[in-house]
Structure formats: C-alpha cells, structure tokens
Amino acid sequence: MQMKFPYKHAHFVGIKGAGMASLAMILKAHGISVTGSDSEEIFFTDILLRKAGIKVFSPFSQKNISRFVDVIVYSTAYNQETNEEISFAEEQKIPSYSYPEFLGMITKQKMSVAVSGTHGKTTTTAMLGHVLNFLDKEPSALVGSEVLNWKSGALSGTGPYFIFESDEYQNKFRYYYPWSLIITNVTWDHPDFFPTKEEYENTFKKYVEKIPLHGWIVVSNDDLGALKVTENVASRRLTYGYHKDSKYRIFELSSQKGFAQSFSIQKEGKELGIFSLQLLGKHNIQNATAVIAFCDALGIPLEMVGTALKNFLGTTRRMEKKGEYKKALLYDDYAHHPEEIEASLLALRKTYPKRKIITVFQPHTFSRTETFMDSFALALDYADVVLLLDIYASAREKVGTISSDDLVAKINHITPEKALNVHSLEKAEQILLHSLDKNIVLVTMGAGDVWRVGESILKNK
C-alpha cells in the first residue's frame, strides 16, 4: 500500500530541519522531484540530503522556485512575512502547506502510529520503525534524525503502518490523525509557545482524545505527566515501566556479553523474555519497552522483537559514540532539556564510573534557558566539567535578556569552578585539544550545532 501524492515537484522551504529532511526523502522515494532551500548554516542533515540527491539552495530566494514546482512545504519557523519564497508561492498561487499540515495528510493514508513525548520520541520512533522493518513488515517511517541502520531518517514501505515522530511544539498535534499513540513522558517544555505547564499538558490531552477506540495508547507508567494526560482515555491503554503496577514491567539485569545493557519484561506477572540493547541509559530501556508493548499488542512474537532490538544501532545525535581522541571517548547528544541532560549524564556515569566527564553544552533558546535555569544547573552538575557555549537562538528567537554567563553562575553556585563560558565552538575545541586524555569522556550536548566541536577534534587525530 503505497502512499499517493498528486504532485510532481515539491519545494521545501527550511529543508535542513530534521523532520523536513525526512519528509523530503519520503516524497523523493515516491518518485516526486524534490528541491529545497535553507540558510547557509551547516546542519547534520546536509549529508543526508546530499546522499538522497536532493538539491538545496542557499540563501532563500524566489529564484529557487522553478516553474515546475507544484507544491511548497515550509518549516513552521518561517511564514509569508519572514520568507520571500513562501510569499512568492502565495502570489503565484502555488499550493503551500506547513510541515505539520503536509505530514497530517500523510497520516490519513495509513494506519499511523504517532510517537510523542517531551523526551525520547526520536529514539522510540526509530526503534519501532526498525523492528517492523527488520521483521519485513514494510513500514513507512519518519524520524527526526538519521537512523544508523537505515543511513536515513525515513522509510517508504508498502506495508499498512506509518510510524512517525510527533512533535508537540506549536501544537502540531492538531494536524495529525494517528490510529495509535505512544507517549514516553510529558514534562513542560517550549515555554515560548506554552507559557504554563497546564497549557502544555492540555495539548497532549486533546491529542489523546483523537485516538479511535480500536487504537492503542502505550504510555509510560513511570511518568506522572504521561499518566495524567491519559487518565480518562476511552481507547485501549497499555502501561509500561519500572513501576510495579505497569502492565509491562521492567527488571534490569546484568548485561549480556557484547551489549550495553539487558533487561527482562513481565506482563501482568508473566515472564516475556530477556532483551538486550546496544544503547546506554535507563531511559533507552524504557523506550525499548514501549516498542515491546506495542509489538505485543500487534501480536508479533517477542523473541523476534528481541532479535531486532539487539540489532538496533541508534540514531545520530542521541548519545552517539563519535570516536576517540588521545584515548578520550567522544559522544554527542541532542539533550537540550534538563531531564534529558540528567538522563544522559547518569547513563555515562554508570557506564564509565572511573572516567572524568566533560560536557560542552549549548543552551537552546533564551526562553527555555531562562525558564528552566535552576533545573539546567542541577542537571549539569552531574558532569565534572561544563563548558558553556553562547545560547543558540534558532529561527524561533533572535534575542533574549539572559546569556550563558547566567547559567555558569548558577552551576558554580552549586559546585564552585565547575563551569566556564567559552562562548564559541572554536574556543571549546582549542581548550579540549590540550586537555583530553584516556581518563576522560567528552559529551557535546544541545539542539544546535554543538556537535561540530567533536567533529573538529576528531579531524586532528
């Protein structure tokens, strides 16, 4: 069952965004000509788009839109007032859709499974897509990162399922029509759009109400926010987690040889099996259990699911091991919320208890940094040394009233002299090239371009 599109040439405005790049690749796989445009800034998606043979123009210009373009898909970071390509498309009466609007149309074509939550949705989407693909279910999938097993962020299968990463920012949920839903957690985020915790939770509650009675809602039983937004669901609800009341309960085990961690699952007291992962962290065990619960609901033999999970390599920018420099281990992680930072640093602490952990953190948006300042300081205190870069504003915010100096002061108030604002990627690299050794784990963290620090260091090998 292939998806159908009434277009021959699509042009993507802001194509370097992770979701936009994956959506562009899905259209390309369906035989549609695809071009795109974005800023000249380097993103990790540049390589993916180049490998897919998708032409990307920089900077934005109405000249980038050829006369053959019959549909425009644009990032919600831009609009008619801020982008001349969108404005030109409107003048020329070219059909134009925002990213969530276009994705929403796709969700109507298949049995769509939305993976949502404040944290963990990228990895969980990739895991579920990987398992179904590994077991020849021919899924379609859209992930906001490169899945290392696919060397892409998208799958375009002929099977009935479409697995997609479902982002809550700007209430994109209102455009989507999932058959089933996975919720990993619900913790207030994006204060620039959701000024209160209640408004943030309400958008999830309304999303849950869209799931039909014949669909599944798989929800973390370890997260109070996730339980709260699903407490009155009419659809079938499956809970998973470490909590003793979970339908699918996790028990951690000693790792099997060759794997980062192993665990067993009990379903209502009945042993379902032992599972192993190549990924670090308690949170990834929880992500994998969500996938196991969903596959069990579909009637897929869990022994086969376990085999697929063992072969899952992860995604780029999610606790991705990048290499070694002077025998120091280099990791890169997308973590940009305090809970994500804490989970990732605790995973490294558990895995490398004798090594010193250096974190290069790039705060993402002024509003998030200001709102969660104290929580960021507490989370980053799990590192031994913290190098701060300037706040990465992104397209959604240009200026703010705070800086990374404020976060440095908060961290050093907890543990004196732990944090230093180095401001730039180049300065961080310069410091690290002279300080890394075999006793160190370096992790770059943030949703901006902090990953380039590790890439540059590895080029000096």
Side-chain angles (χ1 to χ4, degrees):
M1 178 174 133
Q2 282 282 17
M3 291 183 279
K4 296 179 180 179
F5 302 99
Y7 307 111
K8 293 182 178 179
H9 188 145
H11 182 77
F12 281 65
V13 180
I15 195 171
K16 292 184 183 182
M20 288 280 283
S22 294
L23 181 57
M25 286 185 272
I26 287 177
L27 267 62
K28 181 83 184 295
H30 281 78
I32 297 171
S33 295
V34 177
T35 55
S37 56
D38 215 312
S39 69
E40 295 178 350
E41 185 177 351
I42 297 173
F43 288 78
F44 71 92
T45 53
D46 279 277
I47 296 174
L48 297 181
L49 292 165
R50 190 160 52 249
K51 286 194 297 187
I54 296 174
K55 174 68 176 177
V56 179
F57 299 97
S58 295
F60 294 112
S61 169
Q62 65 183 49
K63 296 178 182 178
N64 298 334
I65 301 176
S66 83
R67 61 188 179 89
F68 300 107
V69 169
D70 56 359
V71 66
I72 298 287
V73 183
Y74 60 91
S75 164
T76 56
Y78 304 102
N79 55 47
Q80 291 180 28
E81 287 71 38
T82 62
N83 188 281
E84 66 175 273
E85 293 185 14
I86 301 174
S87 176
F88 177 73
E90 180 72 17
E91 292 171 6
Q92 299 300 309
K93 301 191 183 320
I94 302 172
S96 300
Y97 301 93
S98 69
Y99 167 80
E101 287 175 323
F102 201 93
L103 179 55
M105 293 189 291
I106 294 178
T107 65
K108 294 179 180 179
Q109 295 196 37
K110 294 205 174 197
M111 296 180 72
S112 296
V113 182
V115 181
S116 65
T118 314
H119 327 296
K121 52 186 174 285
T122 298
T123 300
T124 307
T125 307
M127 274 186 183
L128 181 55
H130 165 75
V131 169
L132 296 180
N133 189 55
F134 189 88
L135 300 180
D136 298 321
K137 302 297 181 183
E138 287 290 318
S140 296
L142 186 151
V143 182
S145 184
E146 178 184 6
V147 182
L148 297 177
N149 296 82
W150 314 339
K151 301 188 185 308
S152 168
L155 292 175
S156 298
T158 58
Y161 302 113
F162 174 50
I163 318 301
F164 72 103
E165 182 173 343
S166 182
D167 178 22
E168 73 276 14
Y169 184 57
Q170 298 169 322
N171 192 15
K172 295 185 179 77
F173 289 165
R174 68 187 185 273
Y175 298 108
Y176 305 149
Y177 298 89
W179 156 68
S180 289
L181 176 65
I182 294 174
I183 301 181
T184 56
N185 42 61
V186 178
T187 306
W188 184 29
D189 196 7
H190 306 296
D192 59 315
F193 188 83
F194 302 104
T196 67
K197 177 182 177 183
E198 289 70 29
E199 290 182 64
Y200 185 78
E201 291 175 347
N202 283 337
T203 198
F204 279 91
K205 288 179 180 178
K206 290 177 181 177
Y207 200 29
V208 166
E209 291 171 0
K210 297 174 77 169
I211 305 304
L213 293 177
H214 63 282
W216 299 99
I217 296 179
V218 178
V219 58
S220 171
N221 204 33
D222 298 327
D223 185 80
L224 293 177
L227 292 174
K228 181 178 179 181
V229 301
T230 60
E231 59 187 350
N232 296 315
V233 299
S235 309
R236 297 171 290 184
R237 185 174 84 154
L238 304 176
T239 60
Y240 69 91
Y242 289 88
H243 194 279
K244 61 183 178 63
D245 294 331
S246 305
K247 187 177 184 72
Y248 293 85
R249 187 179 178 189
I250 301 167
F251 294 87
E252 287 192 41
L253 304 170
S254 299
S255 295
Q256 295 185 345
K257 187 176 180 180
F259 294 95
Q261 49 189 348
S262 300
F263 59 102
S264 68
I265 301 293
Q266 288 185 7
K267 179 184 178 182
E268 298 174 329
K270 179 184 176 182
E271 189 76 30
L272 294 184
I274 295 175
F275 303 87
S276 296
L277 294 174
Q278 299 187 42
L279 310 185
L280 306 180
K282 177 179 177 178
H283 57 294
N284 278 319
I285 291 178
Q286 291 168 309
N287 294 337
T289 305
V291 171
I292 291 165
F294 189 82
C295 289
D296 188 48
L298 292 182
I300 300 174
L302 294 188
E303 183 177 349
M304 297 170 64
V305 174
T307 300
L309 286 172
K310 285 180 179 179
N311 285 275
F312 180 63
L313 301 176
T315 69
T316 56
R317 303 234 53 222
R318 268 67 180 181
M319 196 50 75
E320 180 187 7
K321 188 174 182 180
K322 302 296 294 184
E324 296 185 13
Y325 176 78
K326 294 182 179 178
K327 297 187 178 179
L329 303 178
L330 274 62
Y331 281 84
D332 178 52
D333 194 49
Y334 193 71
H336 55 286
H337 184 282
E339 288 195 3
E340 295 167 340
I341 293 168
E342 180 177 330
S344 294
L345 291 177
L346 285 174
L348 290 174
R349 281 260 173 243
K350 181 178 179 181
T351 307
Y352 304 106
K354 296 183 180 179
R355 291 204 182 211
K356 179 180 180 181
I357 297 175
I358 298 178
T359 299
V360 181
F361 179 58
Q362 183 182 46
H364 189 247
T365 77
F366 294 98
S367 56
R368 180 188 283 116
T369 306
E370 184 173 14
T371 302
F372 305 124
M373 180 76 72
D374 290 339
S375 297
F376 274 120
L378 290 169
L380 289 164
D381 194 50
Y382 285 103
D384 295 296
V385 175
V386 181
L387 302 182
L388 267 290
L389 302 180
D390 288 335
I391 295 173
Y392 188 86
S394 80
R396 67 179 71 165
E397 290 179 346
K398 298 300 181 185
V399 295
T401 59
I402 60 166
S403 72
S404 290
D405 287 332
D406 298 292
L407 183 51
V408 165
K410 287 280 185 181
I411 297 168
N412 288 341
H413 182 72
I414 299 170
T415 305
E417 300 183 3
K418 173 170 288 193
L420 173 68
N421 186 3
V422 299
H423 298 287
S424 68
L425 302 171
E426 294 76 18
K427 183 63 174 177
E429 178 189 352
Q430 181 183 351
I431 292 171
L432 292 165
L433 284 173
H434 298 288
S435 57
L436 294 178
D437 60 40
K438 65 180 181 180
N439 299 310
I440 290 173
V441 175
L442 168 67
V443 56
T444 52
M445 285 183 158
D449 59 353
V450 63
W451 55 272
R452 295 170 65 182
V453 173
E455 297 278 343
S456 294
I457 289 171
L458 291 173
K459 289 177 181 177
N460 285 275
K461 288 179 67 173

